[in-house]
Amino acid sequence: MQDLKQVVVIGAGVVGLTTAVRIQERGGYHVEIVAETLPSDPKSIKYTSHWAGAHHVSLAGSDVRQQKMDQETFKTMWELSAPGGPAEGCFLRIHQEEYYAERRANPEVLNVMPEYKALPTSALPPQCVEGISFKTLTIDSPVYLNYLLSRFLAAGGSIVRGSVQHIAQVIEGGSGIFSGRKTLASPAAVVVCVGLGARTLGGVEDKDIYPIRGQTVVLRAPWIKFGRTISSKLGLWTYIIPRRSGDIVVGGIKVENDWYPVPRHETTEDILRRGFALCPELAPPEVRAQREPVLEDLQPIIIEEGCGLRPGRKGGIRLEVEWVVTSQDKKKVPVVFNYGHGGYGYQSSWGSATIASELLEKALAE
């Protein structure tokens, strides 16, 4: 291990874990993750990745770099989700329908998806002007996060629980300052994947970072095996995301600069109303077999309400390198930044991890 370059990744959300896996599996490195919260911990507002729906439906718009990251991620996840594949249990391959109140500005983003087709006007909900369908996949977030953690450890990586106050702590002392290691040493490089924490983490303090509050309701409805999303001219965004487990995530909202850390009851009621209108099939089959279902039929199958703070960033994802000089021995250490994914951390995780690992390798070769 002494011949390996020591790299510390700060953060163990989906972006941190994926980046750590990508670097560790390149070979030539020993990667240590330092994080305050890990995937196996109870759900917390401090750890956004647990709360994600999640499905792979790119939101890249006209951003070509984002499009490429999303496409690489989809390709990787599609391979992982293959029947008998190494992570099949983390995913559910589904038929997805998307309905729009306005014409799409960048149709090329989703036109590349498997089995893509435009839906006829007769098949659209009221007040929608466009609809499409395609094949994609959903991700069972808690299961997938633990898969990434296990894969990272199996590849030779290690985990240290610690609350980093300033990146200088890790740049100078490595992960040893949190593990109680007597011999401290600066790593070859540090990778910062702290999501919303980039706003307050010393040495970063990125004021372009802001929260985009999301809220969902999780139902137990294993009969739903398709995804469905609709957007309205009022800015409302409603989605149905089934998981392999039989749980269904119904959402949602996107509210910028809202830090409220627990679900709001009135928002839950609004999400359920919109979700039921979009997908009345959420009602149990035995109810629908006897009568017309009503919203109240969803109450017995509610599992939980969720609330998370997506790490939005003005200007998009920060993917770059800065060199920092340690205060004691004046050693120059490259710091790679990979954060600010907003609501598309899962959709772009493998693509951004590849860029981050390439930035790392280039910096260490200088």
Side-chain angles (χ1 to χ4, degrees):
M1 187 175 293
Q2 292 179 348
D3 296 330
L4 301 177
K5 295 177 181 177
Q6 304 297 309
V7 176
V8 174
V9 174
I10 307 175
V14 66
V15 173
L17 289 168
T18 309
T19 303
V21 168
R22 185 65 92 198
I23 297 170
Q24 183 66 38
E25 291 183 351
R26 287 180 83 96
Y29 302 100
H30 175 243
V31 182
E32 293 182 290
I33 293 176
V34 176
E36 182 178 359
T37 307
L38 301 174
S40 54
D41 292 343
K43 289 182 177 180
S44 163
I45 193 64
K46 294 181 179 180
Y47 189 80
T48 302
S49 295
H50 260 158
W51 298 110
H55 59 190
H56 201 291
V57 179
S58 177
L59 304 171
S62 59
D63 187 334
V64 176
R65 183 184 72 161
Q66 185 70 52
Q67 290 178 19
K68 291 180 178 178
M69 288 190 290
D70 290 2
Q71 289 167 10
E72 178 182 341
T73 303
F74 177 75
K75 182 177 183 294
T76 301
M77 288 184 168
W78 192 258
E79 292 170 354
L80 290 172
S81 70
E88 180 187 7
C90 302
F91 302 96
L92 177 66
R93 292 185 175 186
I94 61 166
H95 175 83
Q96 176 74 19
E97 295 174 349
E98 296 275 317
Y99 301 115
Y100 304 93
E102 298 176 326
R103 293 288 177 186
R104 292 177 294 154
N106 301 96
E108 71 278 4
V109 173
L110 292 175
N111 290 12
V112 298
M113 297 297 283
E115 300 182 20
Y116 169 89
K117 68 176 181 179
L119 297 175
T121 304
S122 59
L124 304 182
Q127 300 181 345
C128 286
V129 299
E130 187 176 7
I132 60 175
S133 69
F134 50 88
K135 287 289 291 294
T136 188
L137 51 80
T138 68
I139 306 109
D140 192 328
S141 305
V143 176
Y144 181 62
L145 291 167
N146 279 289
Y147 159 76
L148 289 175
L149 178 57
S150 298
R151 176 170 165 177
F152 170 68
L153 294 172
S158 56
I159 293 278
V160 176
R161 190 186 295 272
S163 179
V164 181
Q165 297 169 297
H166 196 289
I167 60 172
Q169 296 172 325
V170 176
I171 292 171
E172 184 174 336
S175 64
I177 59 173
F178 300 103
S179 64
R181 199 177 303 155
K182 292 183 179 180
T183 303
L184 304 180
S186 59
V190 174
V191 184
V192 178
C193 303
V194 293
L196 197 59
R199 184 178 176 89
T200 55
L201 177 62
V204 182
E205 298 165 279
D206 189 340
K207 299 309 177 186
D208 286 334
I209 284 283
Y210 61 94
I212 307 172
R213 186 175 181 276
Q215 188 168 320
T216 59
V217 185
V218 181
L219 308 178
R220 183 63 184 171
W223 51 89
I224 301 294
K225 300 295 185 184
F226 56 84
R228 195 175 288 170
T229 303
I230 189 170
S231 60
S232 76
K233 290 183 178 180
L234 298 176
L236 295 174
W237 175 54
T238 309
Y239 53 79
I240 309 297
I241 302 177
R243 290 177 171 173
R244 192 178 190 88
S245 64
D247 293 347
I248 311 296
V249 180
V250 183
I253 59 168
K254 293 185 288 187
V255 184
E256 297 183 0
N257 294 305
D258 184 349
W259 291 87
Y260 195 66
V262 296
R264 293 188 175 102
H265 179 66
E266 62 273 19
T267 303
T268 293
E269 291 185 330
D270 177 57
I271 288 171
L272 286 173
R273 278 194 298 270
R274 289 188 278 123
F276 183 65
L278 175 63
C279 185
E281 300 97 319
L282 287 171
E286 59 270 22
V287 172
R288 289 184 279 119
Q290 296 178 11
R291 57 174 171 80
E292 192 72 20
V294 295
L295 181 60
E296 288 70 24
D297 292 322
L298 302 187
Q299 289 298 321
I301 61 173
I302 294 176
I303 296 175
E304 69 172 351
E305 302 168 52
C307 174
L309 303 177
R310 307 177 184 95
R313 184 173 184 270
K314 298 173 185 176
I317 301 172
R318 185 183 183 189
L319 273 165
E320 60 183 0
V321 180
E322 286 186 0
W323 288 84
V324 178
V325 179
T326 59
S327 59
Q328 293 298 312
D329 58 11
K330 305 305 179 184
K331 177 183 177 182
K332 288 180 65 178
V333 177
V335 178
V336 179
F337 299 95
N338 184 12
Y339 65 79
H341 292 66
Y344 39 84
Y346 281 86
Q347 290 99 317
S348 59
S349 54
W350 286 102
S352 67
T354 294
I355 294 175
S357 66
E358 290 172 349
L359 289 171
L360 172 73
E361 196 154 288
K362 182 179 179 181
L364 291 177
E366 292 181 0

